[in-house]
Amino acid sequence: MTKLDQKYINKIVKEALNEDLKPFGDITTKLIKNKKSKAKIIAKQNGIIAGLDFCRAAFKLLDKKTVFSTKVKDGQKINKGKIIAIISAKTKTILSAERTALNFLSHASGIATFTKEFVIKSNNQTKICCTRKTTPNLRLLEKYAVKKGGGLNHRYNLSEEIMIKDNHIESSDNLYSLVKKAIKTKKIITVEVDNITQLKKILNLKFKRILFDNMSLNILRKCLKLCKNNYETEYSGNVNLKNVRKISDTKVNRISIGSLTHSAKSFDYSLELFS
């Protein structure tokens, strides 16, 4: 998995700043005096914070002399009205970076907060996982935010693990032979099944994980019983906050949820200048 380091953060944030400022810069802010100012970022709801380093980078990339003082840490629970950070910089720096900084902070915190809701709803034995249903070029940020919300990262990309899904099975003449071929690679292997018949075809093979896709809870329980704890087990398909507890109560090891990253609501923050 690609490392979330300052080099990556600066690259992503710089691209976002360019999107907002090219080709002529902040033409509105150019109209005001560029004095020294202070601003505070305030949470407008309860939740879990994530993305502070991306937020900081937006200001620092415009002016390395910016002082960005955080009052909380990523992964921390925050309440409405909490001051997240104090920024000391030139007025133009603050105003020009404001939206980019808050966009990153709001997006990451929204994912972390949504993930935490699923973690709380499920039982303590089941891990809540994200998927590859991420915003293009923001996967690393989004998977980081999931972890800060108490979730678990699924494979990062197609190179990291083997995952045999329905279309791979459809394209193959024989599921058993396909899995045996995968085993020879020595990679971590997940096989997705959507019925008991498929499951029975591979139960005598040794690999890491079986993913049960869009099953009724009754069928899921039968499949878990057949597995006899010989595999790590996972469920996916139409998981929401209303049904996640019932799914986790089957004692499946993991539940993967695409909506953690593709449907999380943006967290509400505001930035206010003050004397």
Side-chain angles (χ1 to χ4, degrees):
M1 183 169 173
T2 305
K3 186 178 180 181
L4 180 62
D5 56 19
Q6 196 60 50
K7 182 178 179 180
Y8 165 82
I9 292 169
N10 286 348
K11 177 180 180 294
I12 295 297
V13 175
K14 187 174 182 179
E15 289 174 356
L17 286 168
N18 287 338
E19 181 179 56
D20 217 18
L21 293 171
K22 284 190 173 181
F24 303 119
D26 183 353
I27 60 175
T28 306
T29 298
K30 286 180 180 179
L31 301 174
I32 66 172
K33 292 182 180 180
N34 198 22
K35 60 182 181 179
K36 192 71 178 283
S37 294
K38 287 187 176 181
K40 53 188 175 183
I41 298 174
I42 305 168
K44 299 181 72 176
Q45 65 179 86
N46 300 335
I48 306 297
I49 189 167
L52 279 168
D53 287 341
F54 292 81
C55 182
R56 176 190 290 107
F59 298 102
K60 297 284 282 187
L61 285 171
L62 290 190
D63 185 354
K64 62 183 181 180
K65 294 181 179 180
T66 297
V67 177
F68 187 93
S69 303
T70 57
K71 304 300 180 182
V72 293
K73 295 181 179 180
D74 277 0
Q76 185 175 329
K77 182 179 179 181
I78 54 176
N79 294 323
K80 181 178 179 180
K82 175 69 177 178
I83 295 176
I84 304 305
I86 301 291
I87 304 120
S88 297
K90 293 291 183 68
T91 308
K92 291 183 178 181
T93 298
I94 294 173
L95 296 183
S96 295
E98 174 185 357
R99 181 40 50 200
T100 297
L102 292 186
N103 281 350
F104 278 110
L105 190 63
S106 296
H107 185 55
S109 298
I111 291 171
T113 298
F114 196 37
T115 300
K116 179 62 74 174
E117 291 182 51
F118 278 97
V119 170
I120 292 171
K121 286 280 187 180
S122 64
N123 63 43
N124 293 328
Q125 286 74 43
T126 304
K127 301 296 183 182
I128 298 299
C129 305
C130 57
T131 70
R132 285 170 41 247
K133 295 178 181 179
T134 54
T135 307
N137 297 322
L138 290 182
R139 179 171 295 173
L140 195 55
L141 166 63
E142 293 177 349
K143 284 183 172 287
Y144 167 81
V146 166
K147 291 183 71 173
K148 290 302 173 182
L152 183 71
N153 287 172
H154 211 293
R155 61 176 178 163
Y156 179 70
N157 62 22
L158 295 173
S159 295
E160 194 169 62
E161 299 178 10
I162 289 176
M163 186 171 180
I164 298 173
K165 296 170 66 68
D166 54 354
N167 284 330
H168 298 110
I169 296 169
E170 181 66 28
S171 302
S172 175
D173 295 328
N174 186 291
L175 174 58
Y176 185 85
S177 297
L178 181 60
V179 177
K180 283 191 71 175
K181 188 176 181 180
I183 291 171
K184 292 179 181 179
T185 67
K186 307 297 182 181
K187 298 286 188 179
I188 294 174
I189 299 168
T190 299
V191 180
E192 178 187 287
V193 299
D194 54 24
N195 58 63
I196 292 177
T197 301
Q198 281 184 332
L199 176 62
K200 288 181 177 179
K201 290 179 181 179
I202 57 174
L203 277 177
N204 66 330
L205 295 172
K206 292 184 179 181
F207 57 93
K208 184 174 180 63
R209 186 182 305 121
I210 297 177
L211 172 61
F212 305 106
D213 185 53
N214 279 297
M215 288 184 175
S216 69
L217 293 184
N218 185 44
I219 298 298
L220 175 59
R221 291 188 188 95
K222 291 179 180 180
C223 287
L224 291 171
K225 188 174 182 180
L226 286 171
C227 288
K228 298 179 180 178
N229 295 319
N230 291 325
Y231 305 91
E232 184 176 47
T233 57
E234 185 170 335
Y235 179 86
S236 69
N238 298 309
V239 181
N240 55 56
L241 289 169
K242 291 182 179 180
N243 64 19
V244 67
R245 181 56 190 242
K246 289 183 179 180
I247 297 169
S248 66
D249 282 343
T250 65
K251 297 183 179 179
V252 68
N253 300 132
R254 305 176 10 153
I255 300 174
S256 53
I257 307 169
S259 63
L260 295 182
T261 49
H262 71 61
S263 295
K265 186 177 179 181
S266 184
F267 196 98
D268 196 6
Y269 292 104
S270 67
L271 181 146
E272 298 178 5
L273 293 173
F274 69 96
S275 301

